[in-house]
């Protein structure tokens, strides 16, 4: 694999991340895309572990899946590393054929052995996103028999049930389905860890870009992969700078020091409208903003309290001010655009109604509670607005700020009272969100599957059974109605205060073209970016 000479790359990187290598740039390099974004949620670069927005986007531009879909028409599924596939008569086994002639960035050829290794490795490592694959009946004990190589370029994927074929294929588009270079990963294995400790901070993919460097809460640097099987990107490198403040991003964008600003607030977006050197690009995402209420907290476990808190968010005002142009009010776990999405919004700010519910719960004077808050400007501003309206009914909410890694780690350990965050679907099938918001097969602390319902200690055997039934329904209309029914109940009784669906907004220099905002963050693509210079 060829690289940019290190002294040239180092000079370019130093100049744009603020290191004392050269004077400030009047404009970004013509062959380098520079984005400012809050990237403090990056915990790992291993496809078997990545489950966060920023890292998903990074991997989407540096790895390749077996299958993909058209971001403008997600029902159009096509092969990427897989050339084709067949489904057995009983619907339980997929046979995949790998496309000839593809290489990893290392120069190693891509074969069925790499695909089998990638999938079985993810299941055996059993990190947070493993449930995307284990839902098909795979375990560490049986996966070697169920996902098996049958030839140099073919393998079989045998499941425990005949699931909807589109569900299976969509799951393989998730980051956990990205194919890694077995030879390179295993060269870096230590003590039987499948190369996990190495791949957390390194790279073994075949996408348009390679990952050259990640410095936590500072920078991620990607470089063009000269062994990429598709059209070569125009950009030699792409750099993410950790700059969470929207006002700072706006200033850098207007000065030409960055190409794209990713965390602009409503005020910054309005201020940029009249700048002839800047354009605003937006796209509706599948991501939703919500609050998760831990059922380990005895007050939050009361149904009346959960209901009251849904009446103590000023959804309309937040959407029209703090998050203007960046969200739309949405109160169900399936985003608009998904099969079976529920679009009713029954909750609005109603302090008197909330007080009545709190009194019914035996808490007429309210109570005190904490909420973990990622310290980005928008999440902080939303949290402060929610804190104020909660106080009107006597709920005293202490905000505990932290970076993305800190708050996520605490949330995943079920050590929170309330967590405010956003959730993006892992694939384009309704089960992706039903599986995490409305399904919890094992509520024990050492459960193998740890979806959002588990994180909030919500034990729901009946709703879990309903979600399990929906995933096996072959008739699309019947299946859609099943998800509508689940959401209607979930909306009223769950410990989730679902508030908004995200509209992703970029501020972008006018000479930058070809950036694709996809429905999921791993669909965001800068492979085709060019600069008019």
């Amino acid at each position: 694999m060829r690289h940019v000479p290190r002294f040239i790359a180092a000079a370019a990187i130093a100049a744009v991340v603020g290191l004392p290598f050269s004077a400030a740039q009047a404009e970004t390099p013509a062959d380098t895309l520079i984005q400012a974004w809050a990237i403090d949620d990056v915990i790992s670069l291993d496809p078997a572990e990545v489950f966060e927005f920023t890292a998903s986007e990074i991997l989407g531009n540096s790895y390749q899946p077996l299958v993909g879909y058209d971001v403008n028409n997600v029902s159009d599924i096509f092969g990427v590393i897989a050339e084709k596939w067949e489904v057995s008569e009983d619907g339980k086994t997929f046979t995949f054929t790998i496309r000839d002639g593809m290489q990893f960035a290392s120069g190693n050829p891509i074969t069925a052995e790499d695909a089998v290794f990638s999938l079985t490795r993810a299941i055996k490592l059993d990190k947070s996103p493993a449930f995307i694959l284990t839902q098909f009946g795979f375990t560490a004990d049986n996966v070697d028999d169920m996902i098996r190589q049958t030839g140099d370029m073919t393998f079989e994927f045998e499941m425990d049930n005949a699931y909807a074929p589109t569900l299976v294929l969509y799951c393989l588009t998730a980051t956990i389905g990205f194919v890694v270079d077995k030879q390179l990963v295993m060269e870096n294995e230590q003590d039987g860890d499948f190369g996990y400790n190495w791949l957390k901070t390194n790279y073994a993919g075949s996408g348009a870009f390679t990952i050259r460097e990640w410095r936590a809460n500072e920078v991620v640097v990607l470089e063009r992969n000269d062994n990429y099987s598709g059209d070569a990107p125009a950009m030699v490198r792409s750099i993410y700078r950790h700059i969470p403040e929207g006002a700072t991003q706006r200033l850098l964008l207007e000065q030409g020091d960055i190409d794209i600003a990713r965390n602009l607030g409503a005020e910054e977006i309005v201020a940029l409208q009249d700048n002839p050197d800047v354009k605003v690009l937006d796209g509706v995402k599948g991501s939703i903003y919500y609050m998760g209420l831990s059922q380990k907290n005895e007050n939050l476990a009361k149904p009346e309290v959960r209901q009251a808190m849904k009446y103590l968010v000023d959804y309309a005002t937040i959407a029209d001010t703090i998050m203007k142009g960046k969200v739309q009010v949405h109160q169900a776990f399936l985003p608009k655009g998904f099969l079976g999405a529920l679009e009713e919004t029954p909750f609005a700010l109603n302090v008197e109604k909330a007080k009545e519910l709190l009194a019914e719960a035996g808490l007429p004077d309210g109570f005190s509670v904490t909420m973990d808050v990622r310290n980005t400007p928008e999440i902080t501003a939303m949290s402060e607005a929610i804190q104020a309206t909660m106080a009107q009914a006597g709920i005293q909410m202490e905000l505990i700020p932290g970076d993305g890694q800190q708050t996520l780690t605490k949330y995943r350990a079920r050590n929170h009272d309330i967590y405010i965050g956003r959730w993006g679907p892992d694939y384009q099938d309704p089960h992706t969100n039903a599986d995490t918001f409305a399904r919890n097969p094992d509520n024990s602390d050492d459960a193998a599957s740890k979806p959002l319902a588990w994180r909030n200690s919500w034990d729901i055997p009946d709703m879990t059974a309903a979600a399990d039934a929906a995933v096996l329904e072959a008739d699309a209309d019947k299946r859609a109605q099943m998800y509508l029914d689940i959401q209607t109940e979930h909306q009223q009784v769950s410990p989730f205060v679902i508030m908004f669906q995200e509209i992703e907004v970029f501020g972008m220099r006018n000479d930058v073209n070809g950036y694709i905002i996809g429905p999921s963050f791993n669909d965001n693509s800068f492979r085709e970016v060019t600069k008019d210079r």
Side-chain angles (χ1 to χ4, degrees), residues 118-338:
S118 301
L119 297 171
T120 57
R121 173 182 183 271
I123 291 164
K124 290 176 181 179
L125 287 175
D126 196 27
K127 301 301 178 181
S128 292
F131 71 89
I132 296 171
L133 297 176
T134 58
Q135 67 180 311
F136 298 118
F138 303 124
T139 67
D141 293 331
N142 72 18
V143 68
D144 288 332
D145 293 326
M146 305 299 283
I147 301 178
R148 51 190 178 263
Q149 186 175 356
T150 55
D152 289 345
M153 306 300 278
T154 58
F155 74 95
E156 293 179 341
F157 185 95
E158 182 183 353
M159 305 169 292
D160 61 348
N161 277 302
Y163 297 93
T166 51
L167 168 66
V168 180
L169 295 171
Y170 282 133
C171 285
L172 293 175
T173 70
T175 52
I176 196 169
F178 289 177
V179 177
V180 304
D181 184 338
K182 178 181 179 179
Q183 180 177 330
L184 182 59
V185 170
M186 293 304 286
E187 285 173 358
N188 292 279
E189 182 185 33
Q190 295 180 351
D191 301 322
D193 72 346
F194 296 99
Y196 167 71
N197 287 302
W198 178 80
L199 199 53
K200 280 177 71 76
T201 57
N202 286 282
Y203 172 71
S206 61
F209 291 86
T210 68
I211 303 173
R212 172 193 167 107
E213 183 176 11
W214 163 40
R215 298 205 296 270
N217 295 355
E218 185 176 348
V219 66
V220 179
V221 181
L222 294 88
E223 291 181 347
R224 185 167 60 197
N225 174 15
D226 292 323
N227 284 327
Y228 177 54
S229 59
D231 295 333
M235 296 295 102
V236 172
R237 66 188 64 84
S238 180
I239 298 174
Y240 294 92
R241 295 179 60 184
H242 178 59
I243 303 172
E245 303 83 8
T248 304
Q249 290 189 15
R250 174 195 163 192
L251 177 63
L252 293 172
L253 184 67
E254 290 183 316
Q255 291 176 171
D257 293 323
I258 61 174
D259 296 303
I260 299 173
R262 300 287 296 271
N263 296 105
L264 298 175
E267 292 183 6
E268 286 83 35
I269 293 169
V270 171
L272 289 172
Q273 297 289 345
D274 297 325
N275 187 326
D277 297 322
V278 174
K279 57 190 173 185
V280 175
L281 185 68
D282 62 38
V284 177
K285 308 295 286 188
S287 319
I288 57 177
Y289 288 91
Y290 74 98
M291 290 187 290
L293 316 179
S294 173
Q295 298 304 280
K296 288 187 175 182
N297 181 302
E298 62 180 10
N299 289 327
L300 300 178
K302 297 180 178 182
E304 299 88 353
V305 171
R306 298 198 298 261
Q307 193 82 343
M309 297 185 83
K310 294 172 185 180
Y311 285 108
L312 289 172
V313 176
D314 194 346
Y315 306 90
T317 297
I318 292 173
D320 291 340
T321 56
I322 296 168
M323 300 295 286
K324 184 176 177 62
K326 302 195 70 177
V327 299
Q328 51 191 224
V329 177
H330 187 74
Q331 296 176 350
F333 65 71
L334 281 181
K336 292 179 183 177
F338 273 64

Side-chain angles (χ1 to χ4, degrees), residues 84-116:
K84 61 183 180 179
W85 54 86
E86 298 175 352
V87 184
S88 62
E89 287 188 12
D90 66 3
K92 293 183 178 182
T93 302
F94 279 70
T95 299
F96 289 94
T97 301
I98 303 300
R99 197 180 302 276
D100 280 327
M102 297 183 71
Q103 298 180 71
F104 290 103
S106 67
N108 292 329
I110 301 176
T111 69
E113 184 177 7
D114 298 293
V116 170

Side-chain angles (χ1 to χ4, degrees), residues 15 122 172 186-188 337 359 376 407 444 465 483 520:
L172 293 175
M186 293 304 286
E187 285 173 358
N188 292 279
T376 59
T407 54
S444 63
Y483 286 115
S520 295

